[in-house]
Amino acid sequence: MKIGLDFDGVIANCGKLKSDVAKMLFDLDIPPHKFKREIVIGEGHLTAEQYLNLQMTIYETREYGFLMEPVAGVLECVPKLLALGHTILVVTSRGEAALKIAKEWSAEQGLTIDFVGLGYGVSKAEACRGLDVYIDDDLDKLKPLVGIVPHRYLFSWGYNMHVANGNIAKRMVSWDEFHNTIKSL
Ligand SMILES: [Mg+2]
């Protein structure tokens, strides 16, 4: 099968990275599950300007970008899926500079996977055409894939639990669950 993966929140643990970097930049203790724009700004943990600064710092500077940690299970499950003969394509909203960091970091982690970097605000629909499966931690990125990618999954985190996934995507709580689900398709 052709499997598409989002990068931040599926391969790299961006909630933890944002929490760690918020501590370094602003000396604030904000738990990872608060790191969704509407929550972290809406609840007043960060101003819009601080959040923008945080995002630029983690996505576009090597110093902070490489502090990413892998999502639990990804380093074991991706090689297993490849060994089963599936193909894997990362489709991310990262732009050029941020994409370069993601690719280098992935290679360092031993992940040999191809990337498409679309840039912020671009629909993933065209890049995902032809995929059988796609998983993202952002429901808004999955909505345009209805009718394009047959098997759509939302990687569940504390920061997206308030979102109603409906028929758009099924929730997956872990890489183990996602891996087992693909085997059962
Ligand atoms: Mg994401």
Side-chain angles (χ1 to χ4, degrees):
M1 261 183 305
K2 291 183 181 152
I3 301 165
L5 308 175
D6 177 32
F7 183 76
D8 294 285
V10 171
I11 297 173
N13 188 340
C14 61
K16 178 162 194 311
L17 179 64
K18 287 174 181 170
S19 176
D20 291 347
V21 175
K23 180 71 181 170
M24 294 177 204
L25 294 181
F26 312 122
D27 197 27
L28 291 173
D29 292 299
I30 307 168
H33 69 266
K34 297 287 185 188
F35 279 96
K36 183 104 175 122
R37 184 181 178 81
E38 61 264 29
I39 303 174
V40 80
I41 298 174
E43 292 184 0
H45 302 287
L46 293 177
T47 64
E49 195 183 338
Q50 282 175 318
Y51 190 54
L52 185 64
N53 181 357
L54 175 73
Q55 286 184 302
M56 294 291 288
T57 304
I58 64 164
Y59 294 132
E60 307 213 344
T61 71
R62 301 175 66 84
E63 183 187 359
Y64 291 93
F66 280 99
L67 299 175
M68 285 182 286
E69 291 178 15
V71 172
V74 66
L75 300 183
E76 296 76 31
C77 291
V78 164
K80 280 190 214 166
L81 291 171
L82 292 171
L84 289 170
H86 299 298
T87 57
I88 291 185
L89 178 66
V90 179
V91 180
T92 169
S93 299
R94 284 181 176 238
E96 204 174 330
L99 180 65
K100 192 161 177 282
I101 292 171
K103 283 181 176 176
E104 276 183 45
W105 177 88
S106 298
E108 274 181 13
Q109 303 292 321
L111 294 175
T112 44
I113 37 180
D114 293 326
F115 282 77
V116 174
L118 298 170
Y120 182 75
V122 177
S123 166
K124 293 186 172 181
E126 284 316 308
C128 287
R129 200 176 287 282
L131 295 176
D132 301 297
V133 174
Y134 188 74
I135 184 165
D136 203 299
D137 66 328
D138 185 349
L139 195 74
D140 290 335
K141 304 286 175 67
L142 287 155
K143 283 177 188 164
L145 305 184
V146 175
I148 290 180
V149 178
H151 303 284
R152 301 172 302 277
Y153 301 100
L154 177 67
F155 205 107
S156 262
W157 292 97
Y159 56 76
N160 65 31
M161 287 311 288
H162 63 295
V163 172
N165 47 309
N167 292 328
I168 296 164
K170 270 191 219 157
R171 284 185 179 272
M172 291 285 128
V173 298
S174 66
W175 261 96
D176 271 348
E177 186 183 14
F178 181 54
H179 176 244
N180 288 330
T181 300
I182 288 173
K183 284 202 289 186
S184 71
L185 288 177

